[in-house]
Amino acid sequence: MTTIEERVAALEARVAALEGRAPEPGGEVEESGKLVYGGHARFGGYRWSWEMARPPGWLVEQPAGPMAAVLAAAGHPARLRILQLLVRGPRPAAELQTELSPASQGQLYHHLKTLSSAGLVEQPERGVYRVPPSAIFPVLAMIAAATDVVHPR
């Protein structure tokens, strides 16, 4: 059975929501809603369509370690540039090397290994790299989110 204090707090939260204002601190708030991202894109002869919806409460409860590994892998300027190039379609390592000069071949492979370990890049054939199809829109969403932080509307 709920106490009178719990019932009053719930009512205050509902009234605040109806009035379009935040409830007073200490009042219980039901977490609801969803974060949605997705879209359609055509890159390098490929067509992509994606829509993902996640509840905010679920997102903030996910273990930080695996997500931090993905963000750390993408967070290096050279690796982010590699993702920008590969999101358009597969590319040979030699082509990536040309785009990333003056990075050494060893540096390129180090970055590719880091991105591969995080699940952001795969090697479908010898010497060719790509963003896995399941990661195309998550990578674009990361780039979009970072852009929105740098250039808020």
Side-chain angles (χ1 to χ4, degrees), residues 43 70-89 91 96 100 108 111-112 114-116 118-122 130-132 135-136 138-140 142-143:
F43 285 127
V70 170
L71 295 172
H76 187 282
R79 291 193 289 267
L80 184 57
R81 182 65 189 136
I82 290 168
L83 290 172
Q84 288 175 313
L85 294 168
L86 292 179
V87 80
R88 294 179 176 269
R91 287 193 173 199
L96 293 171
L100 295 172
L108 171 64
H111 292 314
L112 288 168
T114 301
L115 291 167
S116 295
L120 294 169
V121 168
E122 66 184 10
R130 71 177 183 181
V131 173
I136 294 289
V139 166
L140 289 171
M142 281 193 295
I143 294 169

Side-chain angles (χ1 to χ4, degrees), residues 31-33 35 52-63 67:
E31 292 183 4
S32 64
L35 173 77
M52 184 61 63
R54 302 283 192 192
W58 180 83
L59 288 170
V60 299
E61 294 299 323
Q62 296 306 298
M67 292 182 300

Side-chain angles (χ1 to χ4, degrees), residues 39-49 87-89 136-137 140:
H40 308 280
R42 234 184 223 162
F43 285 127
Y46 295 91
R47 269 190 163 163
W48 306 103
S49 185
V87 80
R88 294 179 176 269
I136 294 289
F137 270 94
L140 289 171

Side-chain angles (χ1 to χ4, degrees), residues 11-38:
L11 283 172
E12 287 175 343
R14 290 175 67 189
V15 168
L18 289 170
E19 292 176 346
R21 62 180 172 85
E24 296 296 317
E28 289 198 27
V29 178
E30 180 184 324
E31 292 183 4
S32 64
K34 61 183 172 181
L35 173 77
V36 180
Y37 70 94

